[in-house]
Amino acid sequence: MLSRLQDFFTRHRRKFIVTGVVVGGTIAAARYARRKLLEFQERQAREFFERTRRMQHFESTERTCNQVILGMGEEMCQAILRECSTDDLLEQLRQNPSNKVELWEQMKIVSFTRLTTFVYASSMLVIALRVQLNLLGGYIYRDIMSEQQKINDDLKQQYLSLIRHFIADVGIRELVRYIRSKVVEVLSSMSLTRQLTLSDTEQIFWSLQMAINGDTRHDPNSRMSKYLLPALSRLNQQPSPTLQKMYNETLDLLECEDVISVCVHNVSRGFVLACDAIAEAMGDTLQHLAPGEVQQQQPFKSINNNGNNNNLLNINNVLLALAKLIPIISGLTSRGYDSGARPHNLPTQLLTFYVVAEKSKTLGANVYETFSSG
C-alpha cells in the first residue's frame, strides 16, 4: 500500500508541484491584491478627507475675504470722498458768485475724477485682498496639515496691514492725483454747454480709460503694487524672513499677467456699470424736465389710435448739456459705500459686482490652491 502511494506521487510529482505553485501563487496574489486594495481605499479616503478639509477651509477663507473687502471698501470710499470732495464747490455755487463758470469747471473735473477713481480703486482693492487673504489662507492650511505654527497672529497682522498703505496712507492720494491729471487732459477743453448723448458720455469714459492705461509708469492695472503696498523699508520694524517671503510673493502675483488681465477686465466692466447707472439716473432727471427742455438727435415717431404723431423719448438719442450731466455723475458717487444699497449708489454697486465677479473668484481660488499645496 505504501509503495503504491509512493509510486503514485512519483508518477504525478510534476502535477503536484505545478498545482502547489498555482494555488500558492493565487493565494499570495489574492493577499497582495487585498492589501493593495486596502491601501488604495485608505489613500482615497485620506485624499477625500483632505479635499473636503481644504474645501471647507477655502470656503471659510472666501467668506472672511468678502467680509474684509466690504468692510475695508467702506473705508476706502470715505478716503476717496475726502480726496475728491465737492462740498466747498457746492457751497460756493449756492451763493451765486460771479465766477460760476470757473466753479462748474472745477466741479466737472472733480466729478469725473471721483467716479473714475471709484472704478479703479474698487477693482484694485478687491484683487489685492483676494490675493492677500488666499495667499495667507494657503499658508495657514499648510500649517494645519503639518501641525506647525509658522504663521502666528503677529505675522498675520503685519501682513494684512500692508493694504493700509492704499487706504489710509498715500496710495489713494497718489491714485486720485494721477487720475485727475488724465481727467484734466481729456476734459479741460470740453465746454460746459456741449450737448452730449449717452454714447458721447461712454466715449468720454473710454478716452479716460485709454489715457489712464496708456502711461506704463503709473497705470493702475499693471502697476497696482505701486499704489497698494508700501516698501518694506517703511515698516516700523524689521520684517521677518517669512513676512519678506510673503511680501515678495504678493508683489509677484500683483504684477503677473493673469492678475493684470483680471484688473483690466474688471475696470472695463466697471465703466459699463457706471454708464448704465448714468443712463438710469438720466432717465429719472429727464422725467422732471419740461418737454421743451429735452432735445433729441432723431426723435422716434409713433402713431396712436387717433392717428396723431407722438415723439417717443429714447434716452440714447437725448442730448444733454455737459453742465446738466455733471450733477448726475457727482450724485452717483456722493454718498460713498452704502450697505443698504440705495438707488443710484455706484460705489456699492461696483464693490458688490467686483466681489461676485467670476474672474475675481477664480483668481482667489487659484492663489489658494497654489499656496495651500506648495
Side-chain angles (χ1 to χ4, degrees):
M1 182 67 179
L2 183 59
S3 61
R4 288 181 180 178
L5 287 174
Q6 288 177 344
D7 186 48
F8 175 80
F9 281 117
T10 300
R11 291 196 310 271
H12 298 284
R13 181 176 58 184
R14 180 174 294 178
K15 295 180 181 178
F16 282 116
I17 293 174
V18 171
T19 301
V21 170
V22 170
V23 172
T26 302
I27 294 173
R31 289 177 178 174
Y32 177 79
R34 185 171 58 184
R35 185 171 69 252
K36 287 298 180 182
L37 178 61
L38 288 173
E39 291 176 357
F40 174 75
Q41 290 174 337
E42 290 174 359
R43 185 168 63 254
Q44 288 288 95
R46 284 196 302 270
E47 290 175 358
F48 172 77
F49 286 125
E50 183 179 345
R51 284 197 305 270
T52 302
R53 191 173 186 178
R54 181 183 294 182
M55 180 59 68
Q56 290 174 343
H57 189 260
F58 170 69
E59 290 173 351
S60 175
T61 301
E62 280 290 280
R63 288 193 295 270
T64 302
C65 184
N66 292 341
Q67 292 170 359
V68 172
I69 287 172
L70 296 180
M72 298 193 76
E74 184 173 0
E75 192 175 350
M76 179 202 69
C77 290
Q78 293 303 315
I80 294 174
L81 289 176
R82 285 193 299 271
E83 293 294 326
C84 302
S85 175
T86 57
D87 293 344
D88 290 343
L89 293 172
L90 290 172
E91 183 61 34
Q92 293 180 58
L93 285 169
R94 290 190 188 101
Q95 298 172 10
N96 197 24
S98 58
N99 63 336
K100 281 195 301 183
V101 174
E102 180 185 343
L103 293 174
W104 274 108
E105 289 287 348
Q106 293 180 40
M107 276 288 295
K108 174 180 71 175
I109 299 302
V110 174
S111 298
F112 276 89
T113 298
R114 188 164 66 191
L115 187 149
T116 304
T117 302
F118 270 115
V119 171
Y120 277 92
S122 299
S123 174
M124 293 163 66
L125 180 71
V126 170
I127 287 175
L129 288 175
R130 279 261 186 262
V131 167
Q132 275 197 285
L133 285 164
N134 280 288
L135 186 151
L136 180 61
Y139 269 88
I140 292 173
Y141 181 79
R142 282 157 55 185
D143 273 4
I144 293 172
M145 297 306 294
S146 62
E147 298 182 349
Q148 298 177 357
Q149 193 177 4
K150 295 180 180 179
I151 309 297
N152 54 39
D153 291 339
D154 186 51
L155 182 58
K156 291 179 193 175
Q157 184 176 358
Q158 289 182 56
Y159 177 65
L160 293 177
S161 66
L162 294 173
I163 197 66
R164 302 295 304 173
H165 171 81
F166 181 57
I167 296 175
D169 204 344
V170 299
I172 286 288
R173 194 175 306 123
E174 290 180 353
L175 181 63
V176 168
R177 186 183 301 119
Y178 172 64
I179 290 177
R180 182 187 177 91
S181 70
K182 296 304 178 181
V183 170
V184 170
E185 183 180 307
V186 172
L187 291 174
S188 59
S189 61
M190 190 172 293
S191 170
L192 294 170
T193 59
R194 177 171 174 176
Q195 299 292 315
L196 300 170
T197 63
L198 188 60
S199 177
D200 294 330
T201 305
E202 293 173 353
Q203 182 65 34
I204 290 174
F205 286 117
W206 183 86
S207 298
L208 283 173
Q209 191 177 349
M210 293 302 100
I212 292 167
N213 298 350
D215 189 337
T216 56
R217 296 174 304 167
H218 303 96
D219 172 24
N221 295 318
S222 59
R223 301 281 291 171
M224 272 186 286
S225 58
K226 168 184 169 64
Y227 302 97
L228 291 169
L229 303 177
L232 282 184
S233 58
R234 297 184 57 186
L235 299 181
N236 295 330
Q237 54 187 352
Q238 181 67 25
S240 66
T242 303
L243 179 60
Q244 177 76 59
K245 183 172 182 290
M246 294 171 70
Y247 176 86
N248 291 335
E249 288 167 339
T250 305
L251 282 182
D252 290 341
L253 284 169
L254 293 177
E255 294 172 358
C256 77
E257 289 298 324
D258 289 343
V259 174
I260 293 171
S261 175
V262 172
C263 192
V264 170
H265 173 81
N266 281 355
V267 167
S268 296
R269 294 294 301 161
F271 277 115
V272 172
L273 195 66
C275 289
D276 289 345
I278 291 171
E280 187 177 352
M282 280 178 63
D284 292 348
T285 299
L286 294 173
Q287 290 178 3
H288 298 89
L289 294 178
E293 295 182 77
V294 180
Q295 301 182 50
Q296 297 188 71
Q297 285 184 318
Q298 295 177 337
F300 286 99
K301 300 286 186 179
S302 68
I303 300 177
N304 61 19
N305 293 333
N306 298 323
N308 297 323
N309 290 336
N310 293 324
N311 289 336
L312 294 179
L313 184 63
N314 185 337
I315 196 169
N316 291 308
N317 292 325
V318 169
L319 290 167
L320 199 64
L322 178 56
K324 292 185 180 295
L325 185 63
I326 291 170
I328 294 175
I329 292 176
S330 179
L332 289 174
T333 57
S334 62
R335 292 189 299 269
Y337 179 80
D338 175 21
S339 58
R342 298 175 187 170
H344 308 325
N345 188 302
L346 186 60
T348 304
Q349 295 176 23
L350 285 169
L351 274 172
T352 304
F353 174 78
Y354 290 148
V355 165
V356 301
E358 194 61 36
K359 286 183 178 292
S360 297
K361 293 166 68 175
T362 301
L363 170 64
N366 289 339
V367 172
Y368 183 87
E369 179 67 24
T370 298
F371 287 92
S372 64
S373 58

